[in-house]
């Protein structure tokens, strides 16, 4: 333990002498400085093994001195103990955030201080000690030190501002498009790029949102992005130019992962004609680190919204959300005299299926029915589980003739669909459905009128023998 060099930075002669005496008794060599400027000179020229610094110092305080030392690669390994009369928890928090290894209040006994010194020295011995090269041991001017401090705090302020801008995106977690618009505004302000991309991962909707400045990414550029994620990726133009057939290859890119602990949420990509330097890469890394939290909040919000409007078993929309949507579509049809058709459908003999094969088999049939309906309808059509084995499909912009054609197509599809058997090795099940079709008409005053009309047609289909389509007359 002897011969280790300790630097004490303290403007109080009383405290300086007391600390120096205690350390000398333990065999440490001690050098001293009356302020942070002198202390920094001695850090560079003497390379101490540990620093003890007061916080209340002239010109540069202990927090600033600590940040200055820890920000330099050549000195960041040196343990620092901040010594102060400030006992508030906020002061201790700020001291440790500044990079201090220990924060000790001055009314602590000298024995406790010496114990911490020994512990930190032992911990430091486990790490390779790096002496500064001789070329670094020069007479640094005070102005140069202050310039370093100003640079450091400009850097911290810059980073803090970026963090604040990204965190403000959390106000858009209920509006994905709004969040994307604001995010790409920040990206445009921070980076020069030909294209920027934000990849957001989720179970059923992984999407790459692009902000394009000159043209669509080349296939090779897109492959670069897809290499980060093996599943299907939906590509959307979120900002910049409108999509066109012009594709350009951009030779350089850098990326930053969106990660929270071990969970991967996506990536940020920027493409440009020239390579990005370390400053740009570090800035992008900071953006990615902060954005990950915002994206996680957005995904949680969207999942909560999805669960509130989705049937838990079939993943189709639920009855409550259907009631909301039919009100909107009904009012739109009424106001603009537009077409709106409702298809109601029901699984034939579903109770018998449950009785013969069990409710687990019934659930499998419901799940696959909902899946088949989604696969055979337009993206704009609205599919909901209306209740039990009954489903409803809203077709905006379609009349009853078009609705009947679609209904018949669905009937044939389900009739030939191999519904998996719950029992391993058993043959697939055959299931049929009955469907009723009704179109909005001007004499309808309430959504219930449209629902009753479609339900009446469905009842007629069942009455006439099931596995058929009936249009309301």
């Amino acid at each position: 333990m002897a011969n280790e060099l300790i630097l004490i930075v303290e403007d109080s002669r009383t405290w300086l002498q007391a600390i120096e005496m205690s350390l000398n008794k333990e065999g440490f060599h001690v050098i001293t400085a009356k302020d942070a400027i002198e202390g920094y000179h001695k850090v560079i020229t003497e390379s101490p093994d540990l620093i003890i610094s007061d916080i209340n110092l002239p010109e540069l305080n202990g927090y600033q001195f600590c940040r200055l030392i820890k920000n330099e690669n050549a000195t960041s390994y040196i343990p620092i103990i901040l010594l102060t009369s400030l006992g508030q928890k906020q002061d201790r928090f700020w001291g440790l955030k500044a990079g201090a290894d220990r924060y000790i209040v001055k009314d602590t006994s000298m024995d406790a201080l010496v114990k911490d010194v020994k512990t930190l020295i032992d911990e430091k011995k486990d790490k390779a000690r790096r002496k500064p090269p001789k070329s670094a041991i020069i007479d640094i001017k005070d102005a140069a030190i202050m310039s370093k401090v100003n640079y450091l705090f400009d850097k911290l302020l810059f980073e803090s501002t970026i963090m604040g801008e990204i965190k403000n995106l959390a106000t858009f977690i209920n509006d994905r498009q709004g969040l994307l618009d604001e995010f790409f505004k920040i990206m445009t302000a921070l980076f020069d790029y030909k294209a920027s991309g934000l990849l957001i991962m989720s179970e059923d909707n992984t999407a790459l949102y692009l902000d394009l400045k000159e043209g669509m990414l080349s296939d090779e550029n897109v492959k670069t992005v897809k290499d980060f994620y093996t599943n299907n990726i939906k590509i959307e133009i979120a900002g910049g130019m409108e999509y066109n057939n012009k594709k350009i290859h951009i030779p350089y890119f850098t990326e930053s992962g969106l990660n929270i602990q071990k969970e991967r949420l996506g990536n940020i990509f920027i493409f440009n004609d020239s390579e990005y330097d370390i400053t740009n890469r570090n800035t992008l890394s900071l953006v990615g680190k902060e954005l990950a939290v915002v994206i996680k909040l957005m995904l949680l919000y969207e999942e909560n919204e999805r669960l509130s409007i989705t049937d838990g078993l079939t993943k189709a929309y639920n009855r409550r959300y259907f009631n909301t949507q039919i009100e909107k579509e009904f009012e739109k049809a009424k106001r603009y005299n537009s077409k709106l058709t409702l298809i109601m459908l029901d699984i034939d003999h579903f109770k018998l299926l449950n009785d013969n094969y069990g409710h687990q088999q019934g659930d499998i049939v419901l799940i696959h029915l909902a899946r088949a309906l989604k696969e055979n309808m337009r993206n704009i059509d609205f599919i909901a589980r209306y209740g039990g084995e009954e489903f409803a499909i809203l077709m905006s912009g379609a009349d009853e003739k078009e609705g009947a054609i679609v209904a018949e197509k669905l009937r044939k599809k389900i009739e030939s669909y191999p519904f998996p058997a719950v029992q391993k090795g058993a043959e697939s099940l055959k299931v049929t459905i009955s469907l009723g079709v009704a179109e909005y008409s001007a004499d309808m005053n309430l959504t219930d009128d449209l629902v009753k009309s479609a339900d009446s047609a469905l009842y007629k289909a069942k009455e006439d023998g099931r596995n058929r389509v009936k249009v309301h007359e």
Side-chain angles (χ1 to χ4, degrees):
M1 187 68 69
N3 298 320
E4 302 291 346
L5 184 63
I6 311 297
L7 168 63
I8 305 172
V9 185
E10 173 63 77
D11 63 342
S12 166
R13 180 170 291 277
T14 302
W15 274 102
L16 190 149
Q17 289 177 344
I19 298 169
E20 184 176 9
M21 187 180 300
S22 297
L23 293 175
N24 282 335
K25 283 181 181 179
E26 297 296 325
F28 292 108
H29 289 297
V30 176
I31 54 176
T32 64
K34 64 182 181 300
D35 57 43
I37 299 293
E38 183 184 354
Y40 187 77
H41 279 286
K42 292 195 174 180
V43 169
I44 296 300
T45 58
E46 301 291 342
S47 188
D49 295 290
L50 183 139
I51 301 168
I52 300 172
S53 175
D54 190 12
I55 287 179
N56 294 318
L57 296 171
E59 294 190 76
L60 287 182
N61 63 41
Y63 300 130
Q64 295 167 328
F65 176 60
C66 183
R67 287 188 184 277
L68 184 60
I69 299 301
K70 292 294 186 178
N71 192 61
E72 295 279 351
N73 287 333
T75 58
S76 61
Y77 70 98
I78 302 174
I80 298 178
I81 296 175
L82 286 181
L83 192 63
T84 181
S85 57
L86 303 173
Q88 295 292 329
K89 282 191 173 182
Q90 295 93 327
D91 300 313
R92 183 179 185 279
F93 168 82
W94 194 235
L96 295 176
K97 286 297 179 182
D101 297 273
R102 295 287 191 278
Y103 184 94
I104 298 177
V105 180
K106 282 186 175 180
D107 60 8
T108 305
S109 71
M110 284 297 167
D111 289 342
L113 174 60
V114 171
K115 182 180 178 182
D116 277 333
V117 168
K118 290 179 178 179
T119 299
L120 290 172
I121 290 290
D122 286 340
E123 289 175 359
K124 178 174 169 289
K125 282 182 176 179
D126 292 334
K127 302 173 185 176
R129 178 178 175 184
R130 295 178 296 159
K131 284 278 188 180
K134 289 183 179 179
S135 59
I137 303 175
I138 57 175
D139 183 20
I140 298 178
K141 302 296 183 185
D142 291 357
I145 296 175
M146 293 308 297
S147 177
K148 281 176 175 285
V149 172
N150 289 334
Y151 167 78
L152 173 60
F153 284 98
D154 277 346
K155 179 173 175 284
L156 291 172
L157 179 59
F158 174 71
E159 291 176 353
S160 177
T161 302
I162 291 175
M163 290 164 66
E165 290 291 316
I166 298 299
K167 285 175 180 175
N168 285 342
L169 294 177
T171 58
F172 293 93
I173 61 170
N174 62 339
D175 176 11
R176 182 178 282 220
Q177 186 57 53
L179 190 150
L180 291 168
D181 292 342
E182 294 302 311
F183 168 72
F184 284 119
K185 284 179 186 176
I186 294 172
M187 292 294 287
T188 300
L190 287 175
F191 305 101
D192 288 319
Y193 58 79
K194 300 294 183 183
S196 176
L198 176 60
L199 177 70
I200 300 178
M201 295 164 56
S202 60
E203 270 187 43
D204 55 354
N205 184 29
T206 294
L208 173 64
Y209 300 96
L210 294 174
D211 181 37
L212 304 173
K213 301 303 184 187
E214 292 187 3
M216 183 59 186
L217 291 175
S218 68
D219 294 340
E220 186 178 343
N221 288 144
V222 172
K223 182 180 181 302
T224 298
V225 174
K226 288 186 175 181
D227 284 344
F228 283 81
Y229 188 76
T230 55
N231 290 3
N232 293 330
I233 297 176
K234 180 176 66 176
I235 298 178
E236 293 189 17
I237 310 303
M241 59 173 290
E242 293 296 323
Y243 176 80
N244 60 46
N245 292 324
K246 176 186 174 185
K247 291 186 178 181
I248 58 172
H249 179 68
I250 309 171
Y252 296 99
F253 87 99
T254 189
E255 60 85 28
S256 177
L258 306 181
N259 303 305
I260 295 181
Q261 296 179 338
K262 293 182 179 180
E263 183 181 7
R264 185 178 172 199
L265 303 171
N267 286 79
I268 308 172
F269 300 87
I270 46 177
F271 294 82
N272 208 16
D273 287 337
S274 56
E275 198 165 1
Y276 287 101
D277 60 19
I278 188 66
T279 300
N280 277 294
R281 293 199 298 272
N282 287 343
T283 302
L284 187 65
S285 178
L286 177 64
V287 171
K289 183 179 177 182
E290 296 301 319
L291 184 65
V293 178
V294 176
I295 296 300
K296 180 65 175 178
L297 290 173
M298 182 191 77
L299 292 174
L300 287 173
Y301 176 86
E302 290 178 348
E303 176 66 7
N304 187 57
E305 285 291 292
R306 187 186 68 79
L307 290 173
S308 71
I309 63 175
T310 304
D311 174 60
L313 177 66
T314 64
K315 309 307 177 189
Y317 291 117
N318 59 25
R319 171 76 172 270
R320 184 170 66 87
Y321 193 49
F322 169 79
N323 291 338
T324 301
Q325 288 301 114
I326 195 173
E327 287 285 351
K328 290 179 181 178
E329 293 297 335
F330 190 86
E331 285 303 315
K332 187 167 70 173
K334 197 170 183 179
R335 177 175 295 182
Y336 301 107
N337 195 28
S338 55
K339 299 174 185 177
L340 175 65
T341 291
L342 173 64
I343 301 174
M344 300 291 288
L345 64 96
D346 190 278
I347 300 174
D348 296 328
H349 304 296
F350 187 69
K351 184 179 182 303
L352 189 61
L353 185 149
N354 274 333
D355 290 343
N356 290 339
Y357 297 98
H359 288 279
Q360 190 177 358
Q361 180 65 71
D363 288 347
I364 290 175
V365 168
L366 289 169
I367 290 168
H368 280 265
L369 174 59
R371 189 178 299 169
L373 294 178
K374 290 176 186 177
E375 289 172 354
N376 288 277
M377 298 301 297
R378 304 174 301 176
N379 288 335
I380 62 171
D381 295 327
F382 182 89
I383 303 166
R385 185 181 180 189
Y386 194 73
E389 68 272 29
E390 192 171 6
F391 288 79
I393 303 173
L394 272 174
M395 298 182 65
S396 179
D399 58 23
E400 66 179 25
K401 184 177 179 181
E402 292 168 309
I405 293 171
V406 170
E408 180 60 20
K409 173 188 168 186
L410 290 175
R411 187 196 67 77
K412 289 180 178 178
K413 187 74 179 178
I414 300 306
E415 187 179 33
S416 62
Y417 189 96
F419 287 87
V422 68
Q423 187 176 350
K424 193 173 181 180
E427 291 185 6
S428 59
L429 277 69
K430 295 297 181 182
V431 173
T432 62
I433 56 174
S434 299
L435 305 96
V437 181
E439 181 183 358
Y440 162 79
S441 60
D443 61 343
M444 293 180 177
N445 296 315
L446 301 170
T447 57
D448 278 354
D449 297 331
L450 180 57
V451 172
K452 286 176 181 176
S453 296
D455 218 24
S456 173
L458 171 59
Y459 180 78
K460 188 73 170 66
K462 285 186 169 292
E463 192 177 52
D464 287 358
R466 295 182 172 84
N467 189 24
R468 65 194 63 223
V469 175
K470 287 292 181 180
V471 177
H472 178 72
E473 299 175 353

PDB file of all heavy atoms in Angstrom, residues 131-146:
ATOM      1  N   LYS A 131      -0.063   5.136 -17.253  1.00  0.00           N
ATOM      2  CA  LYS A 131       0.661   6.385 -17.075  1.00  0.00           C
ATOM      3  C   LYS A 131       0.559   7.204 -18.360  1.00  0.00           C
ATOM      4  O   LYS A 131       0.654   6.657 -19.458  1.00  0.00           O
ATOM      5  CB  LYS A 131       2.137   6.093 -16.793  1.00  0.00           C
ATOM      6  CG  LYS A 131       2.410   5.602 -15.377  1.00  0.00           C
ATOM      7  CD  LYS A 131       2.492   6.762 -14.425  1.00  0.00           C
ATOM      8  CE  LYS A 131       2.953   6.285 -13.047  1.00  0.00           C
ATOM      9  NZ  LYS A 131       3.039   7.403 -12.110  1.00  0.00           N
ATOM     10  N   PRO A 132       0.384   8.498 -18.246  1.00  0.00           N
ATOM     11  CA  PRO A 132       0.332   9.308 -19.462  1.00  0.00           C
ATOM     12  C   PRO A 132       1.673   9.315 -20.163  1.00  0.00           C
ATOM     13  O   PRO A 132       2.708   9.262 -19.517  1.00  0.00           O
ATOM     14  CB  PRO A 132      -0.041  10.708 -18.954  1.00  0.00           C
ATOM     15  CG  PRO A 132       0.382  10.719 -17.528  1.00  0.00           C
ATOM     16  CD  PRO A 132       0.242   9.326 -17.032  1.00  0.00           C
ATOM     17  N   PRO A 133       1.684   9.337 -21.493  1.00  0.00           N
ATOM     18  CA  PRO A 133       2.950   9.397 -22.215  1.00  0.00           C
ATOM     19  C   PRO A 133       3.693  10.681 -21.903  1.00  0.00           C
ATOM     20  O   PRO A 133       3.096  11.687 -21.512  1.00  0.00           O
ATOM     21  CB  PRO A 133       2.518   9.349 -23.690  1.00  0.00           C
ATOM     22  CG  PRO A 133       1.101   9.817 -23.698  1.00  0.00           C
ATOM     23  CD  PRO A 133       0.518   9.376 -22.395  1.00  0.00           C
ATOM     24  N   LYS A 134       5.005  10.647 -22.077  1.00  0.00           N
ATOM     25  CA  LYS A 134       5.815  11.821 -21.732  1.00  0.00           C
ATOM     26  C   LYS A 134       5.388  13.053 -22.511  1.00  0.00           C
ATOM     27  O   LYS A 134       5.477  14.166 -22.024  1.00  0.00           O
ATOM     28  CB  LYS A 134       7.291  11.522 -21.997  1.00  0.00           C
ATOM     29  CG  LYS A 134       7.878  10.526 -21.007  1.00  0.00           C
ATOM     30  CD  LYS A 134       9.352  10.314 -21.261  1.00  0.00           C
ATOM     31  CE  LYS A 134       9.938   9.326 -20.246  1.00  0.00           C
ATOM     32  NZ  LYS A 134      11.375   9.080 -20.468  1.00  0.00           N
ATOM     33  N   SER A 135       4.910  12.826 -23.727  1.00  0.00           N
ATOM     34  CA  SER A 135       4.493  13.966 -24.546  1.00  0.00           C
ATOM     35  C   SER A 135       3.325  14.714 -23.921  1.00  0.00           C
ATOM     36  O   SER A 135       3.091  15.879 -24.202  1.00  0.00           O
ATOM     37  CB  SER A 135       4.097  13.500 -25.949  1.00  0.00           C
ATOM     38  OG  SER A 135       3.034  12.573 -25.864  1.00  0.00           O
ATOM     39  N   ALA A 136       2.567  13.994 -23.033  1.00  0.00           N
ATOM     40  CA  ALA A 136       1.420  14.642 -22.391  1.00  0.00           C
ATOM     41  C   ALA A 136       1.830  15.435 -21.170  1.00  0.00           C
ATOM     42  O   ALA A 136       1.071  16.238 -20.653  1.00  0.00           O
ATOM     43  CB  ALA A 136       0.400  13.584 -21.999  1.00  0.00           C
ATOM     44  N   ILE A 137       3.036  15.179 -20.666  1.00  0.00           N
ATOM     45  CA  ILE A 137       3.487  15.872 -19.457  1.00  0.00           C
ATOM     46  C   ILE A 137       4.095  17.210 -19.850  1.00  0.00           C
ATOM     47  O   ILE A 137       5.301  17.345 -20.057  1.00  0.00           O
ATOM     48  CB  ILE A 137       4.489  15.007 -18.673  1.00  0.00           C
ATOM     49  CG1 ILE A 137       3.844  13.666 -18.336  1.00  0.00           C
ATOM     50  CG2 ILE A 137       4.958  15.700 -17.412  1.00  0.00           C
ATOM     51  CD1 ILE A 137       4.767  12.689 -17.659  1.00  0.00           C
ATOM     52  N   ILE A 138       3.231  18.179 -20.038  1.00  0.00           N
ATOM     53  CA  ILE A 138       3.641  19.511 -20.491  1.00  0.00           C
ATOM     54  C   ILE A 138       3.003  20.546 -19.597  1.00  0.00           C
ATOM     55  O   ILE A 138       2.138  20.247 -18.776  1.00  0.00           O
ATOM     56  CB  ILE A 138       3.219  19.738 -21.959  1.00  0.00           C
ATOM     57  CG1 ILE A 138       1.700  19.542 -22.095  1.00  0.00           C
ATOM     58  CG2 ILE A 138       3.961  18.792 -22.897  1.00  0.00           C
ATOM     59  CD1 ILE A 138       1.163  19.861 -23.464  1.00  0.00           C
ATOM     60  N   ASP A 139       3.422  21.754 -19.781  1.00  0.00           N
ATOM     61  CA  ASP A 139       2.876  22.856 -18.988  1.00  0.00           C
ATOM     62  C   ASP A 139       1.589  23.351 -19.650  1.00  0.00           C
ATOM     63  O   ASP A 139       1.624  24.127 -20.600  1.00  0.00           O
ATOM     64  CB  ASP A 139       3.916  23.985 -18.902  1.00  0.00           C
ATOM     65  CG  ASP A 139       3.427  25.134 -18.025  1.00  0.00           C
ATOM     66  OD1 ASP A 139       2.508  24.890 -17.207  1.00  0.00           O
ATOM     67  OD2 ASP A 139       3.946  26.248 -18.167  1.00  0.00           O
ATOM     68  N   ILE A 140       0.462  22.858 -19.160  1.00  0.00           N
ATOM     69  CA  ILE A 140      -0.820  23.250 -19.730  1.00  0.00           C
ATOM     70  C   ILE A 140      -1.244  24.594 -19.148  1.00  0.00           C
ATOM     71  O   ILE A 140      -1.244  24.792 -17.935  1.00  0.00           O
ATOM     72  CB  ILE A 140      -1.894  22.192 -19.426  1.00  0.00           C
ATOM     73  CG1 ILE A 140      -1.490  20.862 -20.073  1.00  0.00           C
ATOM     74  CG2 ILE A 140      -3.254  22.625 -19.942  1.00  0.00           C
ATOM     75  CD1 ILE A 140      -2.452  19.749 -19.785  1.00  0.00           C
ATOM     76  N   LYS A 141      -1.621  25.504 -20.016  1.00  0.00           N
ATOM     77  CA  LYS A 141      -2.042  26.843 -19.592  1.00  0.00           C
ATOM     78  C   LYS A 141      -3.416  26.775 -18.942  1.00  0.00           C
ATOM     79  O   LYS A 141      -4.257  25.949 -19.308  1.00  0.00           O
ATOM     80  CB  LYS A 141      -2.076  27.797 -20.794  1.00  0.00           C
ATOM     81  CG  LYS A 141      -0.746  27.922 -21.537  1.00  0.00           C
ATOM     82  CD  LYS A 141       0.323  28.528 -20.648  1.00  0.00           C
ATOM     83  CE  LYS A 141       1.627  28.705 -21.419  1.00  0.00           C
ATOM     84  NZ  LYS A 141       2.717  29.175 -20.527  1.00  0.00           N
ATOM     85  N   ASP A 142      -3.652  27.699 -18.008  1.00  0.00           N
ATOM     86  CA  ASP A 142      -4.956  27.741 -17.342  1.00  0.00           C
ATOM     87  C   ASP A 142      -6.088  27.946 -18.344  1.00  0.00           C
ATOM     88  O   ASP A 142      -7.168  27.373 -18.203  1.00  0.00           O
ATOM     89  CB  ASP A 142      -4.975  28.872 -16.308  1.00  0.00           C
ATOM     90  CG  ASP A 142      -4.058  28.582 -15.127  1.00  0.00           C
ATOM     91  OD1 ASP A 142      -3.474  27.478 -15.099  1.00  0.00           O
ATOM     92  OD2 ASP A 142      -3.943  29.450 -14.232  1.00  0.00           O
ATOM     93  N   ALA A 143      -5.808  28.768 -19.357  1.00  0.00           N
ATOM     94  CA  ALA A 143      -6.837  29.040 -20.370  1.00  0.00           C
ATOM     95  C   ALA A 143      -7.224  27.769 -21.114  1.00  0.00           C
ATOM     96  O   ALA A 143      -8.390  27.567 -21.466  1.00  0.00           O
ATOM     97  CB  ALA A 143      -6.335  30.093 -21.367  1.00  0.00           C
ATOM     98  N   ALA A 144      -6.247  26.884 -21.335  1.00  0.00           N
ATOM     99  CA  ALA A 144      -6.529  25.624 -22.036  1.00  0.00           C
ATOM    100  C   ALA A 144      -7.416  24.729 -21.177  1.00  0.00           C
ATOM    101  O   ALA A 144      -8.288  24.021 -21.693  1.00  0.00           O
ATOM    102  CB  ALA A 144      -5.227  24.913 -22.383  1.00  0.00           C
ATOM    103  N   ILE A 145      -7.174  24.771 -19.863  1.00  0.00           N
ATOM    104  CA  ILE A 145      -8.001  23.976 -18.952  1.00  0.00           C
ATOM    105  C   ILE A 145      -9.435  24.480 -18.982  1.00  0.00           C
ATOM    106  O   ILE A 145     -10.390  23.705 -19.062  1.00  0.00           O
ATOM    107  CB  ILE A 145      -7.434  24.023 -17.524  1.00  0.00           C
ATOM    108  CG1 ILE A 145      -6.043  23.380 -17.493  1.00  0.00           C
ATOM    109  CG2 ILE A 145      -8.370  23.313 -16.550  1.00  0.00           C
ATOM    110  CD1 ILE A 145      -5.347  23.494 -16.156  1.00  0.00           C
ATOM    111  N   MET A 146      -9.589  25.807 -18.914  1.00  0.00           N
ATOM    112  CA  MET A 146     -10.942  26.375 -18.953  1.00  0.00           C
ATOM    113  C   MET A 146     -11.624  26.082 -20.285  1.00  0.00           C
ATOM    114  O   MET A 146     -12.827  25.865 -20.347  1.00  0.00           O
ATOM    115  CB  MET A 146     -10.882  27.883 -18.715  1.00  0.00           C
ATOM    116  CG  MET A 146     -10.435  28.276 -17.313  1.00  0.00           C
ATOM    117  SD  MET A 146     -11.404  27.459 -16.008  1.00  0.00           S
ATOM    118  CE  MET A 146     -13.031  28.109 -16.322  1.00  0.00           C
TER     119      MET A 146
END
